[in-house]
Amino acid sequence: MHRTRVQLGERSYDVVVGRGSLRELAGLVPADAKRVAIVTQNGVPVDVAPHLPTHVATSRHIVGESEDDKSLATIERLCEEFASVGLTRQDLVLGVGGGMVTDIAGFAAASWHRGVRVAHVSTTLVGMIDAAIGGKTGVNLRSGKNLVGAFWQPCGVVCDTALLDSLPEREQRCGRGEMAKYHFLTGDDLLALDLDERVARCVQIKADIVGNDERESGRRAVLNYGHTLGHALEIATDFALAHGEAVAVGMMFAAHLARALGRIDDARVELHRRVIQQHYGLSVSVPSGIDRQRLVDLMHSDKKAIDGLTFVLDGPRGIEVVRGVEASALEAAFTAVSVP
Ligand code: GLY
């Protein structure tokens, strides 16, 4: 079992990783909580009830599975349900599921009674290595992904890697997209580790970054490597391209953009292709039928576009945020990832 502390002063918490780590869940429930509101989805393959302290009452709150369900309407419904079961300030919201569930559960917890405690049982690879860690919560608007939310740290996270045994290949692939991101941030070959160590190492990388920049006023933004185009691709494909797949293409695009801006050389671009495509097994091309201008427009409406287009790009000092990238600089990168 691996236990990683996310160091955030009074908001510090443990992330427990390993096969069978659901056994640790009871220890993460605050002693004074009398009720646990479990936010989950139908089909999430885990029953947490046997792992909760016997003295707590539980209620189940189901969220839908489509990206459209990641909405303020869902938050309102959950809060009405919390009211109907009498969830108090001392109680706990427990997100049980992948990144969509923990983002929603976290934001509902941040909003209910102006903030109640939340813990997560993450059930997907993307969730375990990224979404459930670090306190970013939120929902989508029609204008873009995750535009409304809060930084709301959990009081504990369980990543039971036995749950990954039944994870569909596509979800595994999405996890490898985020893993490739950590590979570029640290140089670590994560696939060289066994599964528990691999997940624990990713958690440690993220915990270190979040511990130094909880609210993304600086370094945390590197966790968005590949995400500027990635988010645009998710929306442009109506989520046919899943998050980790879109991030993989986004990182390849970012490498070509960094090359066009003279920040890296051809060998480094080729390294990106080898790592993303050959090593982590992800596509590096944009699916056909997507319009370049539509992607530019979507990137402009992304919340990270403060001053011109903002990208996270590789360069001589490593991966860092680059603001004010002119749209004209994108042409070569679009061509390289096959956007006509
Ligand atoms: N997923 C990026 C972050 O948590 O900052």
Side-chain angles (χ1 to χ4, degrees), residues 24-223:
E24 307 291 314
L25 178 59
L28 299 181
V29 176
D32 58 344
K34 293 194 171 56
R35 172 172 288 281
V36 176
I38 300 165
V39 176
T40 188
Q41 283 168 327
N42 287 323
V44 168
V46 57
D47 178 12
V48 292
H51 303 283
L52 290 170
T54 48
H55 72 273
V56 296
T58 60
S59 52
R60 260 169 73 83
H61 308 272
I62 301 298
V63 300
E65 275 151 50
S66 129
E67 191 70 25
D68 291 344
D69 294 306
K70 195 176 176 187
S71 65
L72 284 168
T74 295
I75 299 299
E76 181 177 4
R77 179 177 56 76
L78 287 175
C79 289
E80 292 289 5
E81 291 181 16
F82 295 164
S84 71
V85 298
L87 195 75
T88 72
R89 277 177 192 272
Q90 272 65 50
D91 292 333
L92 180 76
V93 173
L94 181 64
V96 180
M100 178 170 157
V101 167
T102 55
D103 279 11
I104 290 172
F107 188 38
S111 310
W112 176 245
H113 284 328
R114 300 189 180 84
V116 298
R117 290 169 294 197
V118 66
H120 299 308
V121 173
S122 183
T123 61
T124 65
L125 191 51
V126 173
M128 291 181 191
I129 68 175
D130 187 25
I133 322 290
K136 276 191 182 175
T137 73
V139 295
N140 305 331
L141 294 182
R142 270 193 300 279
S143 320
K145 266 178 68 85
N146 302 330
L147 288 182
V148 183
F151 286 99
W152 194 248
Q153 299 295 341
C155 58
V157 180
V158 171
C159 303
D160 188 334
T161 50
L163 298 173
L164 301 179
D165 292 349
S166 56
L167 195 69
E169 162 53 24
R170 184 139 193 233
E171 295 266 358
Q172 305 271 7
R173 193 159 66 233
C174 283
R176 292 199 301 273
E178 292 290 348
M179 236 176 248
K181 174 185 85 179
Y182 291 130
H183 184 127
F184 290 118
L185 292 178
T186 61
D188 290 5
D189 177 3
L190 295 154
L191 297 185
L193 303 172
D194 75 29
L195 180 62
D196 285 6
E197 285 174 346
R198 188 183 305 164
V199 172
R201 176 67 189 132
C202 291
V203 168
Q204 184 67 62
I205 295 167
K206 181 149 188 187
D208 289 345
I209 293 173
V210 169
N212 285 305
D213 180 21
E214 182 183 9
R215 291 186 165 240
E216 200 172 300
S217 47
R219 177 80 186 151
R220 182 168 178 166
V222 298
L223 292 170

Side-chain angles (χ1 to χ4, degrees), residues 235-291:
I235 296 169
T237 60
D238 207 9
F239 300 95
L241 212 56
H243 182 69
E245 296 168 325
V247 166
V249 183
M251 288 188 290
M252 195 66 238
F253 178 83
H256 286 292
L257 180 56
R259 176 74 188 94
L261 294 171
R263 297 174 55 85
I264 60 173
D265 60 16
D266 289 338
R268 187 78 185 159
V269 176
E270 174 54 17
L271 178 74
H272 273 74
R273 194 197 58 74
R274 278 208 312 277
V275 167
I276 299 167
Q277 192 174 39
Q278 287 179 359
H279 201 55
Y280 290 89
L282 293 139
S283 170
V284 291
S285 301
V286 171
S288 59
I290 297 179
D291 179 49

